[in-house]
Amino acid sequence: MGDKLIHLIADLKENEALAMVNEKIDEGADPVSLLDDTRRAMEIVGKRFESGDYFLPDLIMAGAIIEEISKIVKPHLLKRRTETKKGKVIIGTVAGDIHDIGKDIVVFMLDVNGYDVVDLGIDVPIDTFVSKLKEVKPQVVGLSGFLTLAFDSMKNTVEAIEKAGLRQGLKVMIGGGQIDEEVQRYVNADAYGKDAVAAVNLCRQWIG
Amino acid sequence: MSESTQKTGPCFIPSPEFLARKKRLDDAMNLRKPDRVPVAPLIVHYYPTRIRGISNREAMYHTEKMIEAWKEVTIRHNWDVAVPLGSLRPARPLEILGMKQFKWPGGGLPDDQPFQWVEGEYVKQDEYDELLADPEGFAVKKLWPRISTTLGPISGLAQMPAPPLLYLSNAYTLPALLGEMVSSPPMVELLRKALELAEAHSKEKMLIIQYIQDMMNLGFPLPFAAVTFPSFDWISDALRGMRGTMLDMYQVPDKLLALIEMFTPLTIGGCVMMAEQTQNKGVFIPMHRGAGGFMSDKQFAKFYWPCFKSLLLGLINAGLTPIPLFEGDYTPRLEYLTELPPGRVVGHFDHVDRKKAKKLLGDVMCFWGNVPASLMCSGAPQQVKDDVKELIDIFGDNGGLIIDSTMGIPDESRLENVQALTDAVHEYGVY
């Protein structure tokens, strides 16, 4: 039965998937196992995105299905799930830039690939990056930006991280519409990613 | 869209410089070899004012300063077009209307940030039927109050029990009822704002007309006067938001398609009107959601390409020249573009496999672009020149090439790199 639900979600059959979740809850199924099925479905969605079978509309639809399932399942959840994550990543769109599309895809893809992602949102002040780095101690920080002003924001953020003594052992990846090798050099990042799949591959390489 | 009314008056006698630049641009756009490769920005936002030390906020609130900077920068870099209109809106009309779809320096953003779009679900998914059945009524009663705080009172008015408008048709009913409608304090405030808008608009319009005349007299044509969007982007950017439209593709695909179809004639008609007023045939089409990565090829074929192709063909049939700006990576969509009639569309590219673009589209459309923004902002002039040379080597053979950066001139461009674009076409681009 679990497999069927996983496939319905992964194939983005919203109505059928939600009907099945409701049915299972009514039958007294374990809500934790339903959430596990959802997570496994999201892994499939992530893989399909990586292989170029799924695109943004499909990720957004998948996200909407998870939201709906959580709404149904959460009231029945007695204990919190604990998952072991592969490693921690902090992500945010740098100061001055309010674009979130690219960042959100990266967050989704890292999350379904088992990383503990802290999303700082958009227009993130340099100080917020620094204080969150101190608090969370991630292995990787991802700086996102769509506007060309993001080049300087990224550069200043990396400088501030260095000044705070947090650069050593930390990997910095950057990404966004106009980001390329030239910007990576300018910003002094460890790598740039052309898309969310590149971000996942960088984390695999750096964290495992 | 662009409010520019390009009335040059009967006394405009084009100078040899104007004619030379116009011909250079027309030749390249029509895939004929000009005397040299043109260098022309399609979008210019804050670069001209930044290099003069004027803040982004000042630029948007003082159109006269912005226009002075446009003139200076056009002449300084000896571009083949004047800084185009339309991409940077003056702030006052936005402010008077309380537009929610934009934030700008001084309007929710600090002085040195650029304006940015604010997407939202201004139309809800369950309102498709209502919008499709009565688009005019929906626009005025529901949409305007949602996208403009100033027009908020209209929504209250629309909810009041009101007689049919035809009832307001004699000397008793019209004065009494219209008087009643406009005399509530929120409506009085709205009318006051409308007057402010009228004044601000007239002032901006005069400045713009003067700018166009001055630039033409100085020998610089404008590449376009009208701006439009493919209906998918119009709906996705301005009405339903990206998340909204992408969910609609799954949840209510037929309604989304119906709205796209309804919008398409609007996306064409406004441009035809603008072109008639301005005698300028160029139509700028910024494009967002159809790029590679945003949707699958199958989704593109179903939801995006039909409305985009109809838009292009509609403009071409009206004798206009569409100038789509293919934002993002358009390499996966190049095959579609081969369906277009040759020499009638000018494609401005952001990221694309240049050689593949040449192979597939070399005989279809003039290539406009695409020196990376990163080089403009943080590279060296020689790198910029080398990149222009590469573009000329790939695209130059049939004349169908215009030089620009990926998305127009980036705000943070170094002056010497912008100059390098011009120097490079003079060094390597003479046919």
Side-chain angles (χ1 to χ4, degrees):
Chain A
M1 276 305 273
D3 278 358
K4 193 171 174 203
L5 179 60
I6 291 169
H7 285 297
L8 285 177
I9 301 171
D11 294 343
L12 309 174
K13 308 271 188 214
E14 184 187 18
N15 294 337
E16 288 160 81
L18 295 182
M20 182 175 259
V21 171
N22 273 319
E23 208 175 286
K24 281 174 172 273
I25 287 282
D26 290 344
E27 286 167 6
D30 177 8
V32 174
S33 82
L34 291 176
L35 288 182
D36 279 341
D37 289 349
T38 311
R39 188 183 49 74
R40 284 170 60 201
M42 286 308 130
E43 284 172 16
I44 299 175
V45 169
K47 288 207 177 82
R48 288 183 185 168
F49 183 80
E50 266 194 77
S51 62
D53 296 311
Y54 274 1
F55 287 82
L56 204 42
D58 317 293
L59 293 193
I60 287 175
M61 190 61 227
I65 297 176
I66 310 180
E67 242 173 67
E68 288 304 312
I69 293 179
S70 302
K71 268 191 224 160
I72 301 169
V73 171
K74 280 215 169 123
H76 302 273
L77 212 56
L78 297 173
K79 54 177 195 246
R80 282 187 67 83
R81 288 185 310 153
T82 46
E83 287 175 45
T84 21
K85 294 284 191 176
K86 291 176 183 165
K88 291 180 190 166
V89 183
I90 283 187
I91 290 221
T93 302
V94 292
D97 198 326
I98 61 171
H99 289 88
D100 57 8
I101 298 172
K103 171 188 69 67
D104 288 351
I105 308 173
V106 173
V107 169
F108 179 94
M109 285 300 288
L110 289 175
D111 185 53
V112 300
N113 277 284
Y115 298 96
D116 184 3
V117 190
V118 179
D119 181 359
L120 301 182
I122 53 174
D123 190 12
V124 179
I126 292 172
D127 292 349
T128 308
F129 271 111
V130 172
S131 63
K132 275 285 166 185
L133 279 169
K134 283 181 187 159
E135 182 193 322
V136 177
K137 299 189 178 59
Q139 288 98 321
V140 177
V141 63
L143 307 179
S144 171
F146 180 72
L147 303 169
T148 45
L149 71 72
F151 302 171
D152 279 326
S153 283
M154 287 176 175
K155 187 179 164 66
N156 297 337
T157 306
V158 173
E159 276 171 12
I161 291 170
E162 241 180 299
K163 228 178 188 174
L166 302 167
R167 185 71 174 85
Q168 208 163 13
L170 177 75
K171 294 290 187 186
V172 179
M173 61 180 183
I174 60 173
Q178 303 293 337
I179 305 294
D180 57 17
E181 268 173 321
E182 175 66 32
V183 183
Q184 180 198 326
R185 184 194 57 73
Y186 180 71
V187 167
N188 193 21
D190 294 295
Y192 84 97
K194 206 174 152 294
D195 52 31
V197 175
V200 172
N201 285 333
L202 286 171
C203 287
R204 280 184 188 140
Q205 187 189 321
W206 289 334
I207 302 176
Chain B
M1 310 308 307
S2 168
E3 81 273 64
S4 60
T5 310
Q6 189 173 329
K7 286 188 183 133
T8 52
C11 54
F12 174 64
I13 299 160
S15 62
E17 291 79 15
F18 180 88
L19 292 173
R21 287 195 179 94
K22 184 91 177 64
K23 182 170 185 329
R24 191 173 296 135
L25 205 64
D26 286 347
D27 282 346
M29 286 181 166
N30 291 295
L31 304 176
R32 295 186 300 257
K33 265 191 190 176
D35 57 343
R36 100 170 133 65
V37 175
V39 55
L42 182 65
I43 304 180
V44 179
H45 285 157
Y46 304 98
Y47 167 74
T49 37
R50 286 175 68 95
I51 57 167
R52 271 189 153 203
I54 296 169
S55 74
N56 292 359
R57 179 190 174 124
E58 244 181 305
M60 286 184 77
Y61 279 90
H62 299 279
T63 306
E64 58 286 355
K65 286 188 191 176
M66 184 165 76
I67 283 177
E68 266 318 299
W70 288 355
K71 282 185 189 169
E72 188 186 75
V73 88
T74 302
I75 295 165
R76 181 203 282 255
H77 293 305
N78 191 18
W79 284 331
D80 288 308
V81 296
V83 167
L85 306 163
S87 41
L88 187 59
R89 312 294 309 168
R92 276 299 287 153
L94 296 171
E95 187 169 74
I96 292 166
L97 280 168
M99 289 304 294
K100 295 184 199 166
Q101 292 159 314
F102 268 3
K103 281 188 179 179
W104 62 92
L109 293 176
D111 289 3
D112 263 317
Q113 283 187 20
F115 78 91
Q116 298 180 45
W117 284 72
V118 182
E119 277 186 26
E121 289 196 35
Y122 300 104
V123 177
K124 305 283 176 214
Q125 196 183 56
D126 61 11
E127 291 177 323
Y128 266 103
D129 291 339
E130 199 184 336
L131 170 55
L132 287 164
D134 176 21
E136 303 287 301
F138 191 92
V140 177
K141 291 178 197 164
K142 294 221 161 153
L143 200 50
W144 288 6
R146 287 179 195 167
I147 62 176
S148 148
T149 50
T150 301
L151 298 180
I154 296 181
S155 89
L157 198 69
Q159 282 159 15
M160 270 166 45
L165 290 181
L166 193 59
Y167 183 74
L168 281 64
S169 54
N170 70 38
Y172 293 101
T173 55
L174 183 61
L177 291 171
L178 190 61
E180 182 63 24
M181 279 174 171
V182 298
S183 58
S184 70
M187 278 306 291
V188 171
E189 176 61 13
L190 193 158
L191 293 170
R192 200 180 58 74
K193 291 273 187 185
L195 264 181
E196 266 183 60
L197 178 64
E199 278 167 26
H201 180 83
S202 303
K203 187 182 156 214
E204 304 292 348
K205 188 170 159 181
M206 269 172 51
L207 288 168
I208 292 294
I209 292 173
Q210 188 62 50
Y211 167 72
I212 295 168
Q213 281 180 0
D214 289 352
M215 293 319 286
M216 288 173 77
N217 288 330
L218 286 164
F220 298 93
L222 269 100
F224 62 84
V227 185
T228 190
F229 301 86
S231 6
F232 188 95
D233 287 330
W234 199 310
I235 294 163
S236 187
D237 290 348
L239 305 182
R240 292 276 302 128
M242 187 184 76
R243 184 173 185 276
T245 36
M246 291 190 165
L247 287 178
D248 296 343
M249 288 163 74
Y250 272 96
Q251 294 172 331
V252 287
D254 294 340
K255 290 180 183 183
L256 174 60
L257 286 171
L259 187 60
I260 287 172
E261 199 182 326
M262 192 185 83
F263 243 92
T264 302
L266 305 181
T267 63
I268 299 166
C271 299
V272 175
M273 208 169 69
M274 189 62 67
E276 277 167 7
Q277 279 178 15
T278 59
Q279 301 297 304
N280 187 324
K281 291 180 187 302
V283 177
F284 171 40
I285 313 173
M287 305 180 39
H288 302 136
R289 303 285 145 77
F294 271 91
M295 53 176 83
S296 71
D297 202 52
K298 212 172 139 195
Q299 289 159 340
F300 181 80
K302 182 173 176 183
F303 292 100
Y304 201 99
W305 176 239
C307 70
F308 177 46
K309 190 177 178 186
S310 300
L311 168 61
L312 295 178
L313 295 180
L315 294 174
I316 291 168
N317 288 338
L320 306 183
T321 305
I323 311 171
L325 166 58
F326 297 106
E327 293 188 30
D329 185 357
Y330 247 78
T331 312
R333 315 287 192 223
L334 293 176
E335 294 275 357
Y336 287 91
L337 304 180
T338 61
E339 293 173 25
L340 298 169
R344 302 300 301 274
V345 175
V346 179
H348 193 299
F349 285 88
D350 177 7
H351 298 293
V352 72
D353 179 332
R354 288 175 177 174
K355 287 187 177 146
K356 198 169 172 194
K358 173 62 182 175
K359 191 170 160 229
L360 289 172
L361 299 178
D363 299 325
V364 179
M365 63 175 73
C366 168
F367 184 97
W368 195 341
N370 77 342
V371 176
S374 60
L375 283 189
M376 300 302 294
C377 299
S378 64
Q382 192 55 46
Q383 288 174 284
V384 172
K385 283 187 177 181
D386 290 346
D387 199 60
V388 172
K389 186 165 185 304
E390 186 187 301
L391 283 165
I392 293 171
D393 289 343
I394 295 173
F395 293 100
D397 64 334
N398 68 347
L401 173 67
I402 303 171
I403 295 297
D404 189 7
S405 181
T406 45
M407 299 272 289
I409 305 297
D411 299 339
E412 294 81 5
S413 298
R414 292 179 179 163
L415 188 135
E416 60 271 27
N417 289 343
V418 180
Q419 186 55 40
L421 292 177
T422 304
D423 293 345
V425 295
H426 285 274
E427 275 175 48
Y428 312 122
V430 178
Y431 287 109

